[in-house]
Amino acid sequence: MSMVITAGSQDGPTKYIYGLERTIQVLETLFNGLIWPKLAARIGEPAPPFFYRYRPVAPSEKYLQIAPSISARTFPISHGSNDQSPDGTYESSAWFVRNDQSSQEFLFFGDVEPDSISLLPRTRAVWKHAARRIRRKQLHTIFLECSWRNGRKNKELYGHLSPPHVLDEMRNLATEVVLATREQPPPSRLSFLWNLLGYGTQRPEVTLPDRELKGALEGVRLVVIHCKATSETFPPGKSIADVISAEVRELVKGVGLGLEVVAAKQGMTIGHVFCLSCISQLRKVACPTCNWVPVVPQTSNGACVIRLYPEIGEDETARLKQENNTLQTVNKSLEISVKDAERALREKIKETVDLTRTLVAIILLLDRCEDLKNELKKLKGQRTQTPPTGYCRRVIEA
């Protein structure tokens, strides 16, 4: 799976296609001017200005800025067996997309097979990263495929998930959330010693009983995507996505993970967007209170295509506004306190400098007095048999 930032390439700045190196290579073989027109090129490769640009993303790469205030990180995942592939699997990817201003994220999966039957299980690494975000209340929505209904045989999954396998993956995620809650992170200044002692090494994967996973995914929404159409007929208003998501919801409910399960619908949103400046709910392109313009993509009527915030009610909005006002008051108080502290520190430094200068003068004076004393001793030792008289005698005696 690759990610294309905005559609169309004729106008505006250069647009990029982000993906794992293997994905980029496959796209290059398809859009090569022979099968399909070549409309993209590598960065640095001569090409017309309207071309897309391929931007390979390494799995080990941290969050990469892909748009103003939007960053993403990708993880490789497996999408079924492939004898012609170096690792024996079709490679897919999962993307964490983050709003840098709010630190809120959502997770979007490409095609993926169950770790339990994969030749190269890699989804657990995604859940470990997601668990830390869920624990910090930064990740609320996960888009995960479930192509088949209940009863599909493993050999007929063809690199996709069915409801029981989705439940297994949600158990794995819940396990990682519980383990992340139990772990004590090392102090940042001692991280090197922490790793040296072996506490930073990769811990083995464990399985926790369902009773320890109760409510572990409370506040997380699973959006079921990639439901494959069948020849079955459904009641009016129902689709294969509704049926599959209902099957997943029933299984998840039986375990008590606290996870909300919904089917992906065209034009749906995953929450409201709130202004980062004044916590006003955004109903138009710009904030009605402070004219802040959200960075998330919007349709022509002003509705946000992707919302990076969870659902928030009016009471919660009022509380957030109150907290925002309190934080602004505290920040102003801190600014005043810092200025007062700087002023007092400058005065203390001046006093210290003056005192230091006085001490240096005293030390120099004492050294001079010691020199005079030594000179007087020499004069006393050089006295002749004729005792000095007058002024010289008085100086020596002194």
Side-chain angles (χ1 to χ4, degrees), residues 3 5 18 55 57 61-75 94-108 129 133 138-139 295-297 306 308:
M3 180 166 53
I5 304 303
Y18 298 88
R55 172 58 166 90
V57 181
E61 193 169 354
K62 301 301 182 182
Y63 281 83
L64 171 71
Q65 187 172 24
I66 58 175
S69 301
I70 300 293
S71 297
R73 182 177 181 181
T74 185
F75 283 78
W95 291 83
F96 289 86
V97 182
R98 180 182 70 190
N99 184 320
D100 295 330
Q101 292 179 309
S102 65
S103 296
Q104 296 296 306
E105 305 181 33
F106 67 87
L107 170 58
F108 196 98
H129 185 76
R133 268 58 191 167
Q138 295 175 339
L139 176 64
V295 297
V296 293
I306 297 178
L308 301 184

Side-chain angles (χ1 to χ4, degrees), residues 277-288:
S277 300
C278 64
I279 319 298
S280 298
Q281 184 174 342
L282 301 178
R283 301 184 184 277
K284 298 182 179 180
V285 174
C287 174

Side-chain angles (χ1 to χ4, degrees), residues 310-349:
E311 296 284 354
I312 301 178
E314 294 182 0
D315 294 340
E316 184 69 7
T317 303
R319 185 185 67 80
L320 289 173
K321 286 184 177 180
Q322 181 63 35
E323 289 184 359
N324 185 62
N325 294 334
T326 303
L327 288 174
Q328 290 181 353
T329 303
V330 171
N331 287 336
K332 291 180 180 178
S333 301
L334 288 175
E335 290 178 1
I336 296 175
S337 300
V338 169
K339 291 180 180 178
D340 292 340
E342 289 178 350
R343 188 181 303 108
L345 181 60
R346 283 195 296 267
E347 293 176 356
K348 289 293 183 182
I349 291 174

Side-chain angles (χ1 to χ4, degrees), residues 109-156:
F109 274 84
D111 293 346
V112 60
E113 67 177 346
D115 261 7
S116 58
I117 64 172
S118 176
L119 295 175
L120 184 61
R122 293 186 281 191
T123 308
R124 193 67 177 248
V126 181
W127 297 140
K128 289 180 180 179
H129 185 76
R132 293 191 290 269
R133 268 58 191 167
I134 293 173
R135 181 171 173 264
R136 298 171 189 167
K137 308 297 182 183
Q138 295 175 339
L139 176 64
H140 300 277
T141 302
I142 300 171
F143 293 85
L144 181 65
E145 70 125 282
C146 186
S147 297
W148 312 113
R149 294 191 59 183
N150 279 330
R152 189 85 175 186
K153 298 178 181 179
N154 286 345
K155 64 180 181 180
E156 297 176 349

Side-chain angles (χ1 to χ4, degrees), residues 366-382:
L366 291 175
D367 288 343
R368 182 57 181 160
C369 290
E370 188 68 22
D371 293 341
L372 289 173
K373 183 178 179 182
N374 293 334
E375 291 180 5
L376 289 174
K377 286 182 179 180
K378 290 179 181 179
L379 289 175
K380 285 183 179 181
Q382 295 175 0

